[in-house]
Amino acid sequence: DAMVIQNPRYQVTQFGKPVTLSCSQTLNHNVMYWYQQKSSQAPKLLFHYYDKDFNNEADTPDNFQSRRPNTSFCFLDIRSPGLGDAAMYLCATSRDRGRVGEQYFGPGTRLTVT
Amino acid sequence: GQQVMQIPQYQHVQEGEDFTTYCNSSTTLSNIQWYKQRPGGHPVFLIQLVKSGEVKKQKRLTFQFGEAKKNSSLHITATQTTDVGTYFCASRSSGSARQLTFGSGTQLTVLP
């Protein structure tokens, strides 16, 4: 089945130790998103790729970076995780049809910072 | 930027009772989407509404888009324990056609 896959599902990292989260999709969607979701809150968009075009949200900290080497894969790099970065990180995809279509979310990676 | 206010934040109902969550915006929305997130899960797309006054049904779920396209509601008839989760509305961000702004969500608990 076509889907959005995130690895790992759970990640524990130390304060200040770089970590990379990965997302892959078999939907062949041209738009990929990274969201941060904290407990009992709505998903917060960090950035998105439209094909290879990177779009950063104004309030996304510089500590967060992303790479999209090809259509199928997208990575979230947290250069120096702080305790406040502990959260669920959700990857999502959509097919751009000129207006926003439904988004397909992966299962998420729960990040713990010790 | 565009904000979508969603109420209530929490709702506890007895199984079999109805449930409604509301989303309101101060600006006209081009469309509105609804997502459900089960506890420990990820958001799953339910539906998209585009037209003024649009009403769509999915079994026990009824979705409405206001005539002025500034509000929307999700109504569940005769809730079941499988309806437990957080329901989010989301609409296109004013900054980009490809971005969604999510409401704060309504967390539904269904008591057996």
Side-chain angles (χ1 to χ4, degrees), chain A:
Chain A
D1 287 338
M3 57 174 51
V4 182
I5 302 163
Q6 289 188 245
N7 286 304
R9 295 292 309 278
Y10 301 90
Q11 177 74 58
V12 180
T13 191
Q14 292 178 331
F15 182 94
K17 185 174 181 181
V19 66
T20 295
L21 310 182
S22 72
C23 176
S24 63
Q25 53 126 344
T26 60
L27 298 162
N28 203 32
H29 285 171
N30 57 338
V31 191
M32 294 187 77
Y33 307 81
W34 278 105
Y35 289 89
Q36 179 193 65
Q37 187 177 31
K38 296 189 175 182
S39 181
S40 300
Q41 296 183 19
K44 179 181 181 298
L45 183 65
L46 296 174
F47 24 60
H48 76 276
Y49 273 94
Y50 177 73
D51 292 323
K52 293 186 177 181
D53 182 26
F54 177 71
N55 298 269
N56 198 32
E57 290 300 291
D59 57 354
T60 298
D62 292 339
N63 197 25
F64 292 86
Q65 303 287 321
S66 186
R67 296 169 284 136
R68 189 180 186 187
N70 53 53
T71 300
S72 301
F73 286 87
C74 197
F75 299 97
L76 170 61
D77 301 308
I78 308 177
R79 294 192 296 188
S80 182
L83 298 178
D85 297 327
M88 175 74 83
Y89 289 88
L90 295 161
C91 173
T93 72
S94 71
R95 183 180 299 282
D96 179 39
R97 295 190 183 95
R99 64 182 183 186
V100 62
E102 64 261 36
Q103 295 191 5
Y104 295 78
F105 284 81
T109 295
R110 183 165 296 283
L111 178 68
T112 301
V113 181
T114 61

Side-chain angles (χ1 to χ4, degrees), chain B residues 42-61:
Chain B
H42 57 276
V44 175
F45 174 79
L46 295 176
I47 209 159
Q48 175 166 272
L49 304 173
V50 178
K51 299 177 183 176
S52 169
E54 190 170 13
V55 178
K56 288 187 176 180
K57 292 190 175 184
Q58 291 179 350
K59 297 182 180 178
R60 295 178 293 103
L61 277 62

Side-chain angles (χ1 to χ4, degrees), chain B residues 3 9 13-14 18 54 61 64 78 80-81 103 106:
Chain B
Q3 281 193 327
Q9 187 175 0
V13 299
Q14 206 71 37
D18 292 357
E54 190 170 13
L61 277 62
Q64 289 189 309
Q80 301 175 358
T81 54
T106 296

